[in-house]
Amino acid sequence: MHASRSHLPATGDADALLRLVAACRAPAHLPSLRAAHARLLLLLHPAHPSAAPARVKLIQAYAACSALPAAHAVLESSCSPDRGAAAHAATICFNVLIRALTAASLHRDALRLFASMRPRGPACFPDHYTYPLALKSCAASKDLLLGLQIHTAVAKLRLDANLYVAHSAISMYARCGRPEDAYRVFDGMQHRDLVSWNAMISGFARAGLFERAVEVFKEFVALQCSVPDAGTMASILPAMGNAKADDILFVRKVFDEMQFKELISWNAMLAIYANNGYHVKAVELYLRMEKDGVEPDSVTLATVLPPCGELSAFSVGKRIHEIIKRKRMLPNLLLENALTDMYASCGCLKDAREIFDSMSARDVISWTSIISAYGKHGHGRESVDLFEKMLEQGLEPDSVAFVAVLAACSHAGLLGVGKRYFDSMTRRYHITPKAEHYTCMVDLLGRAGCISEAYDFITAMPIEPNVRVWGALLQACRIHSNMDIGIVAADNLFRLVPEQTGYYVLLSNMYARAGRWADVTSVRSVMVNKGIKKLPGASIVELGDRVYTFHIGDRCHPQSEMIYQKLDELLKRIRGIGYNPEVEATLHDVEEEDKEGHLLVHSEKLAIAFLLINTSPETPIRVTMNLRTCGDCHLAAKLISTITNREIILKDTNRIHHIVQGVCSCGDYW
DNA sequence: GTAGGGTTAG
């Protein structure tokens, strides 16, 4: 059917139809789209000047409605040889469809379509719009060979002066593991814009050359030829894991100086803090977003929830949950996983379980979160049951899932179960154990009393045992008073981390317990000679929107007087029900004369007293600390929970003590 | 009427 000239004035109708076409953005719109398409075929002669743009709109619309075959059919109708007048339009149609394919991550399909263009003749030749798309698909599918071919072709066509083409080449090389080739493209550019720098920063970051990424970032900022944007922030982010404090400060300064802070810039800054253990900074920055009225998205919230968990910042975490509900962001796997972990980490196992149970879909991360939650609370059996349920669902446990279940076994003393899991991890799932797995096993064996077995386990390790592995062994030796192996563990620790006093203290405690006072003295003198200072124990608590930190014997807090009064009163009362400061723990502070006095002002105790003063009677007390809590504080916390009738949640570096009416969820096995 | 860099969970 060919429209006669009389149809041409009908473009008014065609315009209306095209607006309708452009409005079709979801599969539900397909019927209207098909109807509009049919009417357009009647209205527009294929040679009509409006026919080509119409086809582009149709391809876009079909793609948006997830009807890629239909989009493809429109494309095929656009490149017949007799459409000479619409020569260039054919290339545009290809570009639009390739774009749709890359957006759907169908990179192989995109590349196949790309490869089919040139053989169809000059009307279909790829252009400077096509090449960036093709290079992007090469990058995504890590196809360096094809990427190289395309980049060579591009250079021959002299299209490499085009910024878009150059940027996609930089990205392609970097993502295919050739950062130096990426840099060669960047270095050879006659003109660079903001995106050029972002592409290079991102390229080095993605390729793992973090220092180079930071270097380029700094050079770009120093040049002051253009202002960093959200793309710059997001590009430097992957290079900022385990970053130097100075570099984090530098990025923060850049962030602060940005005139317009896009949401992604906030999100990237939050992630940099979160990834580097700057939990307080992350929560503070989030609170500033709230204050400044910056609307968070799901990425913001998923980024700031883990720091909330780390700090046990329950009220901020809970408020974020409210925001998530209010904004109807659920279901969202990432957010639900982050919420599960945040609640668990704040000691709210029940809320964590509620989130987990309410989820419509769960992945290994969801299961790992809840398994680890029960484990940290000392409910090893529940963890194991959940792990088995996960297997029943047909999910494949990964390395982190095994860390969670092995840690749960060690926290609950489930020796046989733990051993079986370690075995199945290697034999059945072919996962190579990492240091974390070995640490769990040494802890599990050691605390169950199998010290020699734990030691043999270490000597048989195919990787170099790290500080945590030896630390777990030393801890076990202390509990079971195994001096011989304890000394071996201590020796290795002094070799690995000569500056960490915690281990000197553990060793000296062991000697003290064995009555070997001469050895106690010699360990002490080593510490004195080396000028070793104890890693300051710190407890943090959340009150309102603020996080407070307490150190041992801290008198910095404005309420200091009240806190010490409260603590005195508490100690008097718990002495009445059997509290005696634990002798052994006094050696934590070997350098102090007044041992008992010092023990009584451990940061955990100060933090508990502070919260008792400042919160209402039904509020649980949440304290997070940077070391393992000492036996004396654990006992004191249990007794304080009894006399004050308060729930106390004491989180230390590897587990959560949930204390209710004098009973701790750890069952005193820790 | 099309293209480049870039953020989130165990």
Side-chain angles (χ1 to χ4, degrees), chain A residues 570-581:
Chain A
L570 290 168
L571 292 171
K572 265 189 203 121
R573 287 174 64 197
I574 61 175
R575 274 178 203 273
I577 54 170
Y579 171 70
N580 252 322

Side-chain angles (χ1 to χ4, degrees), chain A residues 26-153:
Chain A
H29 304 144
L30 260 180
S32 352
L33 177 54
R34 287 192 205 285
H37 185 184
R39 300 223 17 228
L40 272 170
L41 287 178
L42 295 174
L43 279 173
L44 285 180
H45 186 280
H48 191 284
S50 299
R55 277 195 293 270
V56 171
K57 280 217 157 56
L58 281 165
I59 294 172
Q60 280 177 319
Y62 277 119
C65 298
S66 311
L68 290 171
H72 207 274
V74 177
L75 173 84
E76 294 299 343
S77 78
S78 70
C79 52
S80 342
D82 61 344
R83 306 270 188 268
H88 188 60
T91 295
I92 296 177
C93 287
F94 275 96
N95 293 345
V96 171
L97 186 54
I98 292 174
R99 164 80 197 159
L101 292 168
T102 57
S105 300
L106 298 168
H107 297 292
R108 298 306 335 175
D109 293 326
L111 289 170
R112 213 170 296 130
L113 192 58
F114 164 77
S116 80
M117 291 173 76
R118 189 161 283 277
R120 293 183 197 230
C124 298
F125 278 3
D127 66 0
H128 53 295
Y129 280 75
T130 325
Y131 287 110
L133 290 165
L135 287 168
K136 189 180 187 158
S137 283
C138 292
S141 44
K142 302 254 181 288
D143 193 336
L144 176 63
L145 223 59
L146 185 54
L148 273 164
Q149 279 177 21
I150 295 175
H151 190 221
T152 311

Side-chain angles (χ1 to χ4, degrees), chain A residues 277 279-280 309-312 468 475 500-503 533-541 547-552 554 588-589 601-605 607 622-630 633 649-655 657 670:
Chain A
H279 311 303
V280 176
E310 289 287 344
L311 299 170
S312 300
R468 299 181 77 93
Q475 194 77 23
Q500 269 194 37
T501 56
Y503 302 116
K533 284 263 183 278
K534 195 172 166 318
L535 174 76
S539 290
I540 51 176
V541 300
V547 172
Y548 298 84
T549 306
F550 292 91
H551 292 101
I552 188 161
D554 210 329
H588 268 277
D589 317 298
V601 292
H602 270 180
S603 62
E604 303 95 302
K605 296 190 179 78
R622 288 172 215 283
V623 177
T624 302
M625 64 167 323
N626 67 343
L627 302 170
R628 288 202 188 188
T629 189
C630 78
C633 284
I649 295 148
L650 191 57
K651 184 165 72 170
D652 67 19
T653 41
N654 70 331
R655 59 182 307 157
H657 299 276
W670 54 284

Side-chain angles (χ1 to χ4, degrees), chain A residues 59 121 139 149 167 176 238 248 326 353 362 388 404-405 407 416 480 498 597 617 667:
Chain A
I59 294 172
Q149 279 177 21
H167 300 158
C176 290
I248 296 174
R326 198 177 68 229
R353 185 58 188 256
R362 303 181 188 91
E388 290 301 322
V405 77
H480 295 288

Side-chain angles (χ1 to χ4, degrees), chain A residues 475-494:
Chain A
Q475 194 77 23
C477 291
R478 183 191 61 88
I479 294 169
H480 295 288
S481 305
N482 187 321
M483 204 66 63
D484 297 341
I485 296 181
I487 287 165
V488 178
D491 277 345
N492 280 289
L493 286 162
F494 298 153

Side-chain angles (χ1 to χ4, degrees), chain A residues 579-627:
Chain A
Y579 171 70
N580 252 322
E582 283 190 10
V583 181
E584 189 182 309
T586 63
L587 293 160
H588 268 277
D589 317 298
V590 283
E591 70 273 27
E592 284 301 321
E593 288 301 316
D594 178 12
K595 288 174 195 147
E596 185 181 310
H598 227 80
L599 176 60
L600 297 180
V601 292
H602 270 180
S603 62
E604 303 95 302
K605 296 190 179 78
L606 296 174
I608 291 172
F610 171 72
L611 284 181
L612 282 170
I613 295 168
N614 290 291
T615 57
S616 57
E618 66 285 353
T619 318
I621 304 286
R622 288 172 215 283
V623 177
T624 302
M625 64 167 323
N626 67 343
L627 302 170

